Amino acid sequence: MGLLTFKGGVHPFEGKELSMDKPVEELKPGKELVYLLSQHIGAPAKAIVNKGDHVVVGQKIAEAGGFVSAPIYATVSGTVKSLEKRKNATGGYVDAIVVENDEQYESTTFVEADPESLSREEILDRIREAGVVGMGGAGFPTAVKLAPKDPSTVDHILVNGSECEPYLTSDYRMMLEKPEMIVEGLKIMLKLFGDNCKGLICIENNKPKAIEIMKKAVEGVDRVSVAVVKTKYPEGAERSLINAVTGRFVNSKMLPADAGCVVDNVGTVMAVYDAVKNGKPLMYRVFTVTGDAVKDPRNFLVRIGTPYRELVEAAGGFTAEPEKIISGGPMMGFALADLDVPVTKTSGALTCFLKDEVSRVHETACISCGRCLNVCPARLMPTKLAELAEAGDEEGFESFDGLECVNCGSCSYTCPAKRPLAANINMMRQRVLANKRKK
């Protein structure tokens, strides 16, 4: 039997050797932390502090702004300096709380609990109140994801340890360093569903050490096992992983729960454990600083709100001025104009390159080779969709299932004509979705 996988995908240069052997180090932040109120899918959080207020570690500073939203907590003690607009990783300006760190790290008291003694609703309440969201990039509030309309239909919880994005190694380090915490978090999540539900920790086969450690950690644990998946991008995308492991398909009109699945990143599962067992809100995340422009690529345990600039400094700074800085990885990350951006719940890496290879390519005419069709995990026709996007044909774009695009970039990566297929398709996709919301 071959390795579990999905149809399509590509094999970009991995680049993980730069930081995969660097243990996670805790990074103390500087004098100013910035908490964006929009760092999750759904309604922005609402500030509940004012300028001049004193805050402590673990204090709620913004409450959920709706059902699909999440509260935000202070990660240092200090004084609220201002409530103002600050820049996010995509270049937009959003509401934020700016806190001046007094470096005393005075903390509130966290109330521990025995997960075995908690009811389903009590577990969900602790996850919701802790502000836990998907930490793999999407940022969907975890308590909402774990409370589908009919929990009895969910028979798989997939812990996403694929980390298929090139250069990133934070999830890998967590599996090496905190395997028991991941397993305990998964056990808590399994309590929310029926006895037929099983937990699978999904790891690509290019991570043999993580596979070995996690297999040892699940020995004797009921309903929990490790699923080894084929190394291929975007194996870690939610739809791709569900298809690879279960053979089921999820489209844009479905939720994973409609296919009997819940998918969560390893960092999210650890945050669930911390919230339910230790009563701690989501305040930290593991973050990779990497790329050939970084002097000492490393993995850090960093407090949410810490500026990117401080992470680069902690990694030794740059070997030379980089031409390309990306929040995230090279396939799905966002290019940055500067480092004046704070770490959020969903930001897991900073990838810095000496050369901007994309800007050097010269686009030529499509040669109808069909490579983009072969690699598309959504089984679409990227060339046709890009043509429709360039023509502004929204109706045609929808008729060719353009909304099913997962924006993985595999088509652009494999295109010999170097056409910006993914960028054009994604712009049209966003336009169609925006017009649907208006209607």
Side-chain angles (χ1 to χ4, degrees), residues 129-168:
E129 185 61 21
V132 180
V133 303
M135 296 170 71
F140 195 85
T142 303
V144 178
K145 182 184 284 190
L146 293 174
K149 289 181 181 178
D150 186 359
S152 66
T153 63
V154 174
D155 56 11
H156 285 79
I157 297 178
L158 307 182
V159 179
N160 191 350
S162 300
E163 199 162 48
C164 62
E165 179 77 47
Y167 287 88
L168 277 56

Side-chain angles (χ1 to χ4, degrees), residues 18 167 290-295 297 319-320 351-355:
L18 293 175
Y167 287 88
T290 186
D292 62 4
V294 178
K295 283 185 180 177
T319 57
T351 313
C352 311
F353 295 118
L354 291 172
K355 301 294 182 184

Side-chain angles (χ1 to χ4, degrees), residues 31 44 115 150 223 247 251 286 296 340 404 427 439:
K31 292 297 291 182
D150 186 359
R223 297 192 287 154
N251 62 38
V286 179
D296 184 14
D340 295 324
E404 296 303 317
M427 280 192 287
K439 292 176 184 178

Side-chain angles (χ1 to χ4, degrees), residues 131-211:
V132 180
V133 303
M135 296 170 71
F140 195 85
T142 303
V144 178
K145 182 184 284 190
L146 293 174
K149 289 181 181 178
D150 186 359
S152 66
T153 63
V154 174
D155 56 11
H156 285 79
I157 297 178
L158 307 182
V159 179
N160 191 350
S162 300
E163 199 162 48
C164 62
E165 179 77 47
Y167 287 88
L168 277 56
T169 57
S170 56
D171 289 355
Y172 174 72
R173 291 307 315 181
M174 283 187 276
M175 289 187 285
L176 262 54
E177 299 179 33
K178 300 287 184 181
E180 294 83 7
M181 193 172 179
I182 296 169
V183 174
E184 290 301 317
L186 177 54
K187 286 167 62 178
I188 290 170
M189 294 166 68
L190 285 168
K191 278 178 58 66
L192 302 173
F193 301 98
D195 291 341
N196 68 318
C197 186
K198 58 184 179 181
L200 297 175
I201 301 169
C202 308
I203 311 172
E204 285 190 331
N205 68 325
N206 65 346
K207 304 173 181 67
K209 194 172 181 182
I211 293 169

